[in-house]
Amino acid sequence: ALFVAGWAFVPGNMIVDPMMISAPLDVARAFLAQLSDGVFWTDVTATFSGAMVGLVTGAIAGILAGVVFARVQVLHTAASPFLTLMNSLPRPALAPIFILWFGLGFGPKALVAFSVVFFVLMTSTMGAMKSIDHDIAQLTKSLGMTRTQRFFKIEIPAALPAIVGGLRLGAVYSVLGAVVSEMVGAYTGLGQRLVVVTNNFQVAETFAILIAMGLLSMVLDVSISGLQKLVTKWTR
């Protein structure tokens, strides 16, 4: 409330040019106007679909890679330098390459989202599976459990909270990846819409689109937080 009041006070008293930061009431009007625009919902669908495909495929691939690297140390040691190199690449730098290969459609935004989510889930899964208590690991050996039994009865239940936590983080990053790709180049999407209104100095519309992006990320986060509560209850 204090933030919004201060925001309204600053441009209202010409402390800062209203053209630079707009005003809360103008942003609210712009947001409601966006909601009544059919093209806006087309952009929301384009961003959400790209983020969701990147999230699902990146999560599956990241979890599988994390499991493999956690269980096969030799493979992880061999692949580690290459994984570090790929993970250190800035995601906005990948967007132009994906656009060059696949055009301005759906593919680049899904691939950028995938590239972000994959490493988040791979790191979470691998770290969780390697951090199992040493005494428990020794107990499974003394009980004569097979590798398959140990995997399904000990490792997966122990790693699930960390995996779901990584999935929650990946959901937010998937929207970020899709938007970044759209800002570089796209036919539709909130990122592309954001660039257009910003270039036209429509500050209120810019903040309205940023709010829409934040709400989209919040919807995904709340959905996965429900899954996290179920997993936590089950593992207990």
Side-chain angles (χ1 to χ4, degrees):
L2 289 174
F3 173 78
V4 173
W7 184 8
F9 177 81
V10 168
N13 291 272
M14 298 304 295
I15 298 174
V16 176
D17 189 346
M19 188 175 179
M20 294 293 103
I21 63 172
S22 189
L25 191 57
D26 293 334
V27 173
R29 290 197 191 101
F31 184 72
L32 293 176
Q34 299 278 354
L35 295 180
S36 62
D37 183 1
V39 179
F40 170 77
W41 290 107
T42 301
D43 291 333
V44 170
T45 302
T47 301
F48 185 76
S49 59
M52 283 303 299
V53 169
L55 174 62
V56 172
T57 55
I60 293 172
I63 292 170
L64 290 176
V67 169
V68 170
F69 289 137
R71 292 176 66 84
V72 186
Q73 184 59 42
V74 174
L75 185 60
H76 177 238
T77 302
S80 182
F82 304 102
L83 293 172
T84 303
L85 176 63
M86 288 187 290
N87 193 27
S88 65
L89 294 175
R91 300 306 182 268
L94 297 177
I97 299 174
F98 292 148
I99 290 171
L100 179 66
W101 289 347
F102 303 104
L104 295 172
F106 175 81
K109 65 186 75 177
L111 284 170
V112 173
F114 171 90
S115 68
V116 177
V117 175
F118 172 81
F119 286 102
V120 172
L121 267 296
M122 183 190 70
T123 305
S124 299
T125 304
M126 192 163 52
M129 292 191 67
K130 286 187 172 183
S131 62
I132 293 174
D133 188 87
H134 177 72
D135 291 338
I136 294 177
Q138 291 296 111
L139 179 61
T140 60
K141 292 179 182 178
S142 67
L143 292 174
M145 294 179 72
T146 64
R147 288 173 63 87
T148 303
Q149 289 175 322
R150 189 162 61 247
F151 177 72
F152 285 106
K153 293 181 180 295
I154 302 296
E155 294 174 355
I156 288 297
L160 267 178
I163 291 173
V164 177
L167 190 63
R168 190 174 175 181
L169 185 63
V172 177
Y173 284 167
S174 67
V175 176
L176 174 63
V179 168
V180 165
S181 177
E182 291 167 349
M183 292 179 70
V184 175
Y187 292 120
T188 56
L190 292 176
Q192 186 265 350
R193 191 181 188 91
L194 181 67
V195 171
V196 171
V197 298
T198 305
N199 288 343
N200 287 308
F201 297 98
Q202 297 173 276
V203 180
E205 286 76 6
T206 298
F207 281 116
I209 294 170
L210 289 174
I211 291 171
M213 293 176 183
L215 291 174
L216 187 60
S217 298
M218 285 178 64
V219 168
L220 288 173
D221 182 67
V222 170
S223 301
I224 297 175
S225 67
L227 176 63
Q228 188 175 27
K229 290 178 182 177
L230 289 175
V231 167
T232 303
K233 187 182 295 185
W234 179 74
T235 53
R236 283 177 181 171

